[in-house]
Amino acid sequence: MAPGEYVQQTLAGLDPTTGGGVDPALPLYATTFVVVDLETTGGAPDGGGITEIGAVKVRGGEELGVLATLVNPGVPIPPFITVLTGITQAMLVPAPPIEQVLPSLLEFVSDAVLVAHNAPYDVGFLKAACAKHGYRWPNPRVLDTAALARRVLTRDEVPNRKLGTLAAYFRTATRPTHRALDDAKATVDVLHGLIARLGGHRVDTVGEAIDFARAVTPTQRRKRHLAEGLPKVPGVYIFRADDDRPLYVGTSGDIATRVRSYFTAAEKRARMSEMLAAAERVEAVECAHPLEAEIRELRLIAAHAPPYNRRSKFPERMVWLKLTDEAYPRLSVVRALSVTDTAYLGPFRSKQAAELAAAGFHDAVPLRQCTHRLSLRTVTPACALAELGRCPAPCEHRITPEEYDHHAAAPFRTATTSDPQVVVDALLARIEALSAAQRYEEAAVVRSRLAAVLRATVRMQRLAALTRIAELAAARPAAGGGWELALVRHGRLAGAGVSPPGVHPRPTIAAIRATAETVPPGHGPVPRASAEETERILSWLERPETRLVEMSAEWSSPVSGAARFRDLLAKAENGRSHQLSTERS
């Protein structure tokens, strides 16, 4: 190998592979099916009662294997079962019990789609047997031929969906006889007949077939054509009304598959049914990779406020907690920051959250709570908080501006930008005192205020650490090879792309940089993007497989910053007041 040659395999190996189960996007002709039929004693699925198992493995119309065995249920067989199936007690005495048969059956159905006629019945017996005898149920994908026939065949074609009726309709090579293997073989032919009919419904993959077999509403059936022609790539999808108004915005790593799921029985949300009734078309916005799709979704929701989206709307409604610019400053909840604001905390998702954090600071430090604009010359009468010792009464000039700043304002500034130790210690001491006095409800209130303070300071310092960087380029291994690339400027996604497999990603990064959005610096911890966008980017950057390629400045947080109180925050949020006092240092 030449020196400096790029080896894609080495870098791609950093991305852990995933697997297991059957890919729902697998074409039906390439899917391995195991068709199963059981004969039982006729009771409820309680872990026993199975008298015979028949299973046939097929793929692409070709039989790959057969498993058939009688099973000793350990109980007498009812006479009517013997009349129906022809299985006698004498036939089952030498047969193995179900616990000896299960390992072979589970191995036989592994990595295949399980098919049965009236599948809930057969699957119920098998799951109960696994649970009773200590075997892990592999939870395979299940296709019910009875349910599929109800969707594919009309009453004019078949009077009912019994296996015998369907076998006669499709002229199966094996006729059902109420014996497990014969019925399984008949079900194989019925399955192939039904699959041949699915093409007319534009159902081509196993996932689509399973979804198609489920019951759907008339609206879903009528609007199913909206999912046609969409790309199978990462991106954003937009359901639009007849006036082109966005109704709902979503994101997925596979737009086509995700949109199709809205027209299946798996979609049960009432508001989505209402949305589908109003939708007239679906627009797809292709993205380079899932991170870009998430960011575009957030921006579209913020821009259009679609009526059926519940989250991420109205980012402009975020509020801040700031220290006013006065001789004796106080805390104020504001909608936006100005360039002159230097001491602030946020953003908060609601005014209530900001006020809860403010209450925490008021419990910890002697910040005044009145809203008067105090004068250094004129004395104002003190309020009840001064009489209770909760305020140093700057209104009556009992404290100098310098002393007030040192004892009240400075701890807030320090807590928001670096070390909240003073505030944390004061709140922990208060919780400890209230708990010692058995005033547990009051202690719980202070604990919630402590959590609000820590949550806000940890979040803001985390955001500010990224947004102060003018430009950052990062890469993450792509699932199909190559690298997912992101260019971040001041906490905003400015460009995204994917480098081809086997090619060094730097030329792609250079191309992204040349066409990336220009993002100037700004004021505050989220100057050029919503807090939610920057947090999504942070989450992507902090994944173990993500690699930092280039940065215009260091990415760091204060050594004694709020992040070191993460464990304390978790305890406070979980309501463990009795453990908080041990965190004091």
Side-chain angles (χ1 to χ4, degrees), residues 548-572:
L548 299 179
V549 181
E550 297 173 353
M551 289 191 296
S552 61
E554 64 178 14
W555 183 10
S556 61
S557 296
V559 174
S560 58
R564 78 182 198 274
F565 291 107
R566 283 182 181 272
D567 290 342
L568 177 61
L569 173 59
K571 292 178 182 179

Side-chain angles (χ1 to χ4, degrees), residues 242-316:
D242 55 359
D243 60 357
D244 223 31
R245 177 171 49 95
L247 298 173
Y248 182 80
V249 177
T251 183
S252 175
D254 184 335
I255 296 175
T257 300
R258 181 67 185 99
V259 172
R260 278 197 296 268
S261 72
Y262 286 91
F263 303 94
T264 68
E267 180 53 74
K268 300 182 183 298
R269 293 172 291 178
R271 78 179 194 282
M272 289 296 102
S273 297
E274 184 180 329
M275 183 274 292
L276 291 176
E280 291 300 326
R281 70 182 183 94
V282 180
E283 177 184 337
V285 180
E286 298 185 30
C287 297
H289 47 70
L291 174 63
E292 185 189 9
E294 290 181 24
I295 301 307
R296 287 191 178 275
E297 178 196 31
L298 289 175
R299 294 178 185 176
L300 285 168
I301 292 173
H304 301 289
Y308 293 97
N309 282 95
R310 289 182 174 175
R311 297 169 54 184
S312 306
K313 292 196 289 187
F314 312 118
E316 70 277 4

Side-chain angles (χ1 to χ4, degrees), residues 429-493:
R430 185 166 175 78
I431 293 171
E432 189 175 355
L434 290 170
S435 298
Q438 298 184 0
R439 296 162 62 182
Y440 300 117
E441 291 184 359
E442 295 176 65
V445 170
V446 178
R447 183 192 67 225
S448 66
R449 294 171 179 174
L450 170 65
V453 169
L454 287 177
R455 193 182 306 116
T457 53
V458 169
R459 183 177 187 233
M460 191 176 83
Q461 291 181 19
R462 185 166 171 261
L463 291 170
L466 177 63
T467 57
R468 68 169 62 101
I469 301 174
E471 183 177 284
L472 178 151
R476 180 176 180 267
W483 293 82
E484 298 177 358
L485 305 170
L487 191 71
V488 181
R489 290 173 173 170
H490 295 296
R492 182 180 178 87
L493 184 66

